[in-house]
Amino acid sequence: MFQLMVFVPLVMAIMVLILSLSLILGKKVKLNREKSSPFECGFDSNSNFRLPFSLRFFLITIIFLIFDVEIVMLIPSVYSLTKSILIYWGGVFLLFIMILLLGLFHEWKQGALNWAL
């Protein structure tokens, strides 16, 4: 009980010291219009709200999500290799990779991967 009575005030004192030092020595940030804006999604949210949304930004987001889901599906499939039949696993894995590669080549031919404006 005595250790708790010593430990709690000590932790509180260290916490107050660290917080006060961070307020005193911390970097002062000057807020501007862009930094204080709640959105960082490719358009200015403080201007006219009826401006059309950039389709290019939307396509880049969708491509990112597709390949993000690909990683989420590939990692567990590698872990399941030891518990499955190798020929069936290889066939499903090859089919999955082929579908992704066909999608990638389709996006490439459509020009969605062309980053230059």
Side-chain angles (χ1 to χ4, degrees), residues 37-107:
S37 174
F39 301 108
E40 294 181 8
C41 56
F43 62 91
D44 185 13
S45 63
N46 295 326
S47 65
N48 189 0
F49 294 109
R50 294 290 180 181
L51 290 175
F53 188 73
S54 172
L55 186 60
R56 183 164 209 67
F57 181 77
F58 177 73
L59 285 175
I60 291 170
T61 305
I62 294 298
I63 291 170
F64 171 75
L65 286 176
I66 288 171
F67 288 106
D68 194 34
V69 170
E70 166 199 355
I71 296 299
V72 169
M73 293 177 74
L74 284 178
I75 290 174
S77 69
V78 172
Y79 287 131
S80 70
L81 173 64
T82 59
K83 296 183 173 101
S84 63
I85 300 170
L86 188 59
I87 293 188
Y88 294 134
W89 183 88
V92 169
F93 193 73
L94 185 64
L95 180 67
F96 182 71
I97 295 296
M98 290 303 294
I99 290 171
L100 286 173
L101 284 176
L102 286 172
L104 177 67
F105 289 137
H106 176 72
E107 292 294 330

Side-chain angles (χ1 to χ4, degrees), residues 11-26 28:
V11 168
M12 296 294 269
I14 291 173
M15 184 177 66
V16 168
L17 177 71
I18 290 174
L19 284 173
S20 61
L21 282 176
S22 70
L23 288 174
I24 294 170
L25 300 175
K28 307 295 187 259

